Amino acid sequence: MVGEISRRDFFVTTRDGVRIAIREVADKEAPDRSVPMILMHGTRIPGLSEYDLDVPHGSLAEDLARRGHRCYIVDGRGFGRSERPPEMEAPPAKTRPLYRTLELTRDLDAAVDHLCDASGHDRAGMFGWGVGGTCVMAYAALFPEKVSHLVLYVMMYGAAGNHPKFCHGSQWEDPARPGHFNRPHFGNYTFNAVDMLTREWDRQIPIADKTAWRDPAIVKAFEQALIDGDPTAKDRDPPTYRSPNGMLEDLFLMGIGHKLVDASQVYARVMIVRPEFDTLSRKDDMDALAADLINAAEVLYWQPENTTHYILFDRPERGRDAMLGEMEAFLGR
């Protein structure tokens, strides 16, 4: 019988002294027998917005907790409720983008150590969205003894190149230095519009009535969570929220064909999720990722048809329930 779902917000400190925000979501009555999970966000969106919305079918963390998995939702440095550097209190500057993927593995390491101590497990599972998937894969390569399962959701790998959006000649490339991220334009961090996800989501839903595919309450909760995650958001009209640009630089580099980590260095069980209508994750790139996972204990390459990049937020019958079922079977092995 499922018990009461509890939520607890706290901070951990990384080896280099950065305070990282974590939300624990767990079933108070469930024994710690299931795989404890770290949930890592993607490029511009902090953790709670992606994994714990207070609306029906809006919280992957709660769904996993009800299945016995204690979850830690991580905000990487500079994101959401985590410590931001002084540079992000000043206007954006044309300097090095803040916090590349490998830097964020320090935040994951602090979270994994805390979760393993709290749950009594030697290893944790990890779920990464977009570049968050690249981040957790890099962490699993650095610390194979700490990771049992990886769920790589709508990610980029960098094997294919020629991405239609993150490519040579795009806004992301410095016109004066081909092959380099456009630091003169984007700088160290960005102000993001809260409706950014909704506009891209609309383009992927293949029917006119978008509400038949997704619940409007999800969109409202998502956008409110973005505002709530930045104490300065309402200082601007309309509200915008801040995010570091390091993961954007990594997206561009992977888009033009740079691998940030080689998948042959991963030894955990791996589940790759690439929805059919996703415009970030590409089939040829994920095919290469699956082929490179030569040392993984298991590779499950799931490519659900008629689904979007935002399958975690789509209505249950639009692929969300199927994904939860696939994940639970994978985590049970």
Side-chain angles (χ1 to χ4, degrees):
M1 181 176 179
V2 177
E4 179 184 353
I5 298 298
S6 66
R7 287 171 170 82
R8 180 172 66 99
D9 293 329
F10 62 97
F11 294 89
V12 295
T13 301
T14 66
R15 296 185 186 189
D16 57 336
V18 181
R19 275 168 49 91
I20 299 302
I22 292 177
R23 171 169 291 177
E24 178 189 68
V25 182
D27 181 340
K28 288 184 176 181
E29 298 180 11
D32 284 321
R33 290 197 297 264
S34 298
V35 178
M37 293 293 295
I38 297 287
L39 308 182
M40 181 62 185
H41 60 79
T43 311
R44 287 183 276 191
I45 299 170
L48 299 188
S49 303
E50 290 189 333
Y51 298 123
D52 196 30
L53 301 180
D54 187 19
V55 289
H57 314 299
S59 175
L60 174 66
E62 181 170 324
D63 289 324
L64 290 172
R66 292 192 183 283
R67 291 162 171 80
H69 304 279
R70 183 187 300 209
C71 294
Y72 277 14
I73 303 169
V74 177
D75 280 343
R77 57 188 68 196
F79 289 88
R81 304 153 302 144
S82 285
E83 182 178 342
R84 290 183 172 89
E87 298 97 306
M88 290 184 71
E89 304 302 329
K94 297 177 181 180
T95 55
R96 183 178 77 87
L98 290 165
Y99 306 141
R100 303 282 303 279
T101 297
L102 286 179
E103 292 176 271
L104 296 174
T105 60
R106 300 172 186 171
D107 309 340
L108 291 175
D109 195 39
V112 168
D113 285 350
H114 193 286
L115 178 56
C116 287
D117 287 344
S119 65
H121 286 253
D122 294 328
R123 298 184 295 169
M126 308 185 83
F127 183 108
W129 182 322
V131 183
T134 311
C135 192
V136 299
M137 187 172 74
Y139 182 81
L142 289 168
F143 300 100
E145 72 280 6
K146 295 185 180 184
V147 182
S148 60
H149 297 71
L150 288 179
V151 181
L152 307 177
Y153 175 74
V154 296
M155 68 170 281
M156 288 175 64
Y157 179 43
N162 299 314
H163 193 278
K165 180 178 180 181
F166 295 94
C167 57
H168 291 294
S170 67
Q171 66 172 327
W172 313 104
E173 184 172 52
D174 185 344
R177 303 176 70 206
H180 292 74
F181 182 66
N182 195 351
R183 295 182 183 183
H185 178 73
F186 290 101
N188 54 354
Y189 78 94
T190 293
F191 292 104
N192 304 284
V194 298
D195 65 347
M196 176 180 60
L197 176 145
T198 310
R199 287 183 275 117
E200 176 58 29
W201 199 353
D202 282 348
R203 287 190 283 267
Q204 292 188 28
I205 295 174
I207 60 176
D209 181 6
K210 308 306 179 185
T211 63
W213 195 282
R214 63 157 189 251
D215 185 347
I218 292 277
V219 177
K220 183 178 180 180
F222 177 85
E223 294 182 354
Q224 187 60 51
L226 292 175
I227 293 172
D228 294 343
D230 185 342
T232 73
K234 292 182 180 179
D235 295 344
R236 297 172 288 278
D237 186 18
T240 59
Y241 69 96
R242 296 167 293 170
S243 64
N245 279 341
M247 286 176 124
L248 273 174
E249 181 171 14
D250 287 340
L251 265 182
F252 168 69
L253 292 174
M254 289 187 287
I256 63 174
H258 292 283
K259 296 179 186 178
L260 303 185
V261 58
D262 194 289
S264 67
Q265 297 171 296
V266 173
Y267 291 83
R269 297 182 182 276
V270 179
M271 178 180 179
I272 302 167
V273 181
R274 188 197 173 271
E276 181 182 4
F277 301 144
D278 184 22
T279 57
L280 179 66
S281 185
R282 297 171 56 203
K283 185 179 186 306
D284 53 354
D285 199 34
M286 293 299 95
D287 289 348
L289 169 61
D292 281 354
L293 285 165
I294 56 175
N295 289 312
E298 175 190 3
V299 179
L300 171 61
Y301 185 7
W302 190 53
Q303 303 178 75
E305 296 180 353
N306 204 35
T307 51
T308 76
H309 178 95
Y310 309 97
I311 187 172
L312 284 181
F313 290 148
D314 287 325
R315 292 188 181 275
E317 67 274 15
R318 296 294 185 178
R320 190 175 192 278
D321 278 355
M323 180 171 171
L324 290 173
E326 291 285 341
M327 278 184 58
E328 187 55 29
F330 169 71
L331 294 173
R333 294 196 287 274

